[in-house]
Amino acid sequence: MIHQLDLRGDGGLDSRVLNNPVWSALDGPHAGFAERNGQAARYPVDVYAFAALADPGDPAAWADLHTLVGPATVVRIKPAEQVPDGWEVVGGGVGVQLVDTALRAEPAPEAVRLGPDDVPEMLDLVARTEPGPFLKRTIELGTYLGIRERGRLIAMAGERLRPQGWTEISAVCTDPEHRGRGLATRLIRAVAAGIRERGDTPFLHAAADNTPAIRLYESIGFTLRRRSTILLVRTP
């Protein structure tokens, strides 16, 4: 089941685009990344491993997705509660979505902008900390900031989904040896400052069982908006 708190951001910004954020991004500001067929779309597999449907309850949208990705193909979709006959659920989970309602956004002087040359280090940090999907081209989706110590990348955060008027903060992670210093909080505030500067409102996602992350996000000004199911499915 999907649970939702309807919120509006600054200036009455409509949050309903966040009900289906992957589709809203691919059908909006991230249309340039979209591999699309009718009412189904996905990001390139080396950018972000998710597909989306305009209406997950519409069988025609699932048919469009089948045409897009091909037979016997595994694809990750959110949000989705059930699949049509012939589709196989092979995995999944429950996620939560939080939106900025009282975050203090500010630059972090020690943070540096990360670029393509930093991707190997970023992938290594992600592999050691498992903050969620980050692939070799994910950095193309937005601004990523990092904190280095003695030249080594020890923390990072950046931007991923961009539904109209909103930007997701993602890949928030800190090297285990450097936790407890507030690095993640400083990077979230810094990434949020850039998002707010261009007129968007920050939001983020976390696994529903990642209690420490959710508590951190709530403590710095995010509000839980929605819980939804993520499905890993195999096409007929």
Side-chain angles (χ1 to χ4, degrees), residues 26 31-37 40-46 68-69 137:
L26 288 169
F33 289 100
E35 298 175 356
R36 182 167 177 171
N37 177 55
R42 68 174 176 179
Y43 283 91
V45 295
D46 57 353
L68 176 65
V69 303
R137 291 182 55 209

Side-chain angles (χ1 to χ4, degrees), residues 44-235:
V45 295
D46 57 353
V47 173
Y48 184 44
F50 271 88
L53 306 171
D55 177 2
D58 182 2
W62 288 91
D64 285 343
L65 180 61
H66 186 272
T67 300
L68 176 65
V69 303
T73 300
V74 174
V75 61
R76 186 178 282 107
I77 303 172
K78 67 176 178 184
E81 295 293 312
Q82 54 189 358
V83 300
D85 291 343
W87 293 66
E88 179 186 1
V89 176
V90 296
V94 178
V96 296
Q97 182 185 83
L98 301 98
V99 296
D100 166 21
T101 54
L103 177 67
R104 187 180 81 248
E106 59 189 8
E110 72 272 45
V112 296
R113 175 81 177 258
L114 300 174
D117 291 344
D118 300 300
V119 168
E121 275 190 284
M122 298 168 76
L123 290 170
D124 177 68
L125 182 59
V126 165
R128 289 185 284 112
T129 57
E130 300 183 343
F134 182 88
L135 305 169
K136 63 182 182 179
R137 291 182 55 209
T138 305
I139 195 170
E140 297 176 20
L141 297 178
T143 299
Y144 280 80
L145 301 178
I147 294 176
R148 293 184 176 277
E149 187 167 277
R150 297 178 182 177
R152 182 168 177 255
L153 184 66
I154 60 171
M156 74 176 199
E159 302 172 355
R160 192 168 60 190
L161 296 177
R162 284 191 64 187
Q164 188 65 46
W166 302 80
T167 298
E168 178 192 23
I169 297 177
S170 185
V172 180
C173 55
T174 302
D175 185 293
E177 296 180 3
H178 297 275
R179 290 174 180 166
R181 296 167 50 186
L183 302 181
T185 297
R186 297 208 292 276
L187 285 170
I188 290 170
R189 295 190 194 281
V191 173
I195 292 171
R196 292 243 193 98
E197 192 173 284
R198 66 168 179 264
D200 280 4
T201 299
F203 74 105
L204 44 76
H205 291 106
D209 60 359
N210 191 350
T211 304
I214 295 169
R215 286 176 177 167
L216 168 65
Y217 300 148
E218 291 180 325
S219 74
I220 63 175
F222 286 89
T223 297
L224 182 64
R225 177 182 181 269
R226 181 181 176 88
R227 294 170 61 91
S228 59
T229 302
I230 302 164
L231 294 183
L232 188 66
V233 301
R234 180 177 289 112
T235 62

